Amino acid sequence: MYSSITLIVGWLADKLLGDPTWLPHPIVLFGKTIAAGERWLNKDGHRRVKGGVLTLTLIVLTFCITAGIIHLLGLLSFARPLSVMIFSAILIFYCLAGTTLSKEVRMVFDAADRSLDDGRRQVGRIVGRDTSELSDQEVRKAALETLAENLSDGVIAPLFWLLLLGVPGMMTYKMINTLDSMIGYRTERYRLFGTVAARIDDVANYIPARLTAMLMIIVAGKPRLWRFVCRYGSQHASPNSGWPEAALAGILHCRFGGTHTYFGETIEKPYIGENERTITSADMRRAIAVNLRAEISMVVTVAIAMMVVRWIL
């Protein structure tokens, strides 16, 4: 029962608090560590090897440090179960990012309603692409694409790895995902250095991305969209990102994808869907509602699975 209760407490904390700026966040520490390693190693020769060493080292350290702290807390004679439960709930809270991104997406649409420049600045907070030349519709689509992808990266995948490998596995997944988001680009600077990080992230997200798409179309009441999702999800440059994006494009009956600029380089992404229609705030509200229902479904499923496993053991 401790695992299920811990999950619910951590998830509720995310729903209530999001990611307050005043609270120190371990993912920020991950980012600073990766940035420092990249500046130190991403130069001269053997960049693929150096990037691989950095990636594997940080992944192993994250799992071992998290598991080690939990083990040490478990050895305490005073309030042993409670200390482990509280620490695990805090880490689960840190690993879930559904609430914050939903708020950010709402803010993008509100900003775009005020002016195009405001929309560009706001969406620049949540996407990696260059936003200075985006049109109003491109701003709104970028926000929705990120919302769909984040449901997988920020909610479903962490919960999937929590179920498989516990809190250390969940934290390790966040390190993998942070590595990919920082050095996993196919640009001149990161093409070699981030190869290992990108490939590991592809593996870590393979099942969660498809699970996310399936949950989205089920909670939207459109299971027949699975053929649409399979058609367009597999065409995406990424083996995983296209699946939740295709699910949302199918649900909203719109089109995502196209040409984007990352770090000064133009990247061609295939289109997802065929209906090039105008995106409105109503679409944003519907997308957020679908995300929330899919998130709740996954939390309930994982909590029940944890209880079953505890009962069997």
Side-chain angles (χ1 to χ4, degrees):
M1 288 296 293
Y2 284 118
S3 297
S4 299
I5 294 172
T6 301
L7 167 58
I8 299 300
V9 170
W11 177 72
L12 288 176
D14 176 64
K15 293 294 105 183
L16 294 172
L17 300 176
D19 291 323
T21 55
W22 53 267
L23 191 64
H25 204 297
I27 307 305
V28 175
L29 177 61
F30 287 177
K32 291 181 178 179
T33 304
I34 294 166
E38 191 270 338
R39 288 193 300 269
W40 177 39
L41 297 172
N42 192 13
K43 53 189 175 182
D44 302 325
H46 307 292
R47 297 193 182 193
R48 194 191 305 271
V49 174
K50 292 177 181 177
V53 170
L54 175 67
T55 296
L56 294 174
T57 300
L58 292 179
I59 289 172
V60 172
L61 282 176
T62 301
F63 187 91
C64 292
I65 290 173
T66 307
I69 293 174
I70 292 175
H71 179 70
L72 289 176
L73 289 174
L75 296 177
L76 297 175
S77 59
F78 175 74
R80 178 168 53 193
L82 185 59
S83 61
V84 172
M85 182 178 175
I86 293 173
F87 180 71
S88 298
I90 291 173
L91 292 188
I92 291 172
F93 157 68
Y94 278 131
C95 287
L96 296 176
T99 300
T100 297
L101 204 1
S102 293
K103 291 180 179 178
E104 290 285 347
V105 170
R106 288 184 186 275
M107 292 169 65
V108 169
F109 275 73
D110 290 343
D113 287 340
R114 292 193 299 271
S115 73
L116 178 56
D117 286 339
D118 285 352
R120 287 169 173 170
R121 282 192 293 270
Q122 193 65 41
V123 79
R125 291 164 49 93
I126 60 174
V127 299
R129 71 191 69 167
D130 179 15
T131 63
S132 61
E133 301 297 327
L134 295 183
S135 67
D136 176 80
Q137 282 297 294
E138 288 172 334
V139 166
R140 297 173 192 269
K141 287 182 180 181
L144 292 182
E145 289 171 2
T146 301
L147 180 69
E149 186 177 353
N150 181 78
L151 177 61
S152 177
D153 295 350
V155 179
I156 305 301
L159 291 173
F160 175 82
W161 287 105
L162 173 68
L163 180 60
L164 260 61
L165 296 175
V167 174
M170 193 181 202
M171 286 291 290
T172 302
Y173 168 78
K174 294 302 293 186
M175 172 58 83
I176 292 171
N177 192 240
T178 306
L179 280 159
D180 180 67
S181 67
M182 294 185 65
I183 64 174
Y185 294 99
R186 298 180 180 180
T187 60
E188 185 63 29
R189 177 172 178 173
Y190 298 115
R191 185 173 289 113
L192 293 176
F193 190 78
T195 297
V196 175
R199 296 293 79 80
I200 292 177
D201 184 77
D202 289 343
V203 173
N205 280 299
Y206 189 86
I207 295 176
R210 288 148 182 80
L211 177 60
T212 301
M214 184 178 296
L215 285 172
M216 291 174 74
I217 61 175
I218 289 174
V219 299
K222 295 186 176 183
R224 292 184 179 180
L225 282 175
W226 185 245
R227 295 180 67 179
F228 174 93
V229 172
C230 292
R231 174 187 174 187
Y232 286 103
S234 59
Q235 291 180 8
H236 199 280
S238 164
N240 300 315
S241 299
W243 289 79
E245 290 182 21
L248 187 56
I251 292 168
L252 298 180
H253 192 45
C254 68
R255 186 168 79 164
F256 293 146
T259 303
H260 306 308
T261 302
Y262 292 87
F263 306 106
E265 295 188 32
T266 300
I267 305 295
E268 297 285 345
K269 292 187 176 182
Y271 285 107
I272 297 176
E274 299 176 354
N275 187 22
E276 186 61 59
R277 69 172 184 83
T278 301
I279 299 296
T280 67
S281 293
D283 296 308
M284 173 269 292
R285 289 189 289 271
R286 187 180 181 190
I288 289 177
V290 168
N291 269 34
L292 179 58
R293 292 199 295 270
E295 182 176 340
I296 292 172
S297 299
M298 185 65 176
V299 169
V300 171
T301 300
V302 173
I304 292 174
M306 286 179 167
M307 293 176 67
V308 171
V309 170
R310 286 279 180 176
W311 179 78
I312 292 174
L313 294 179

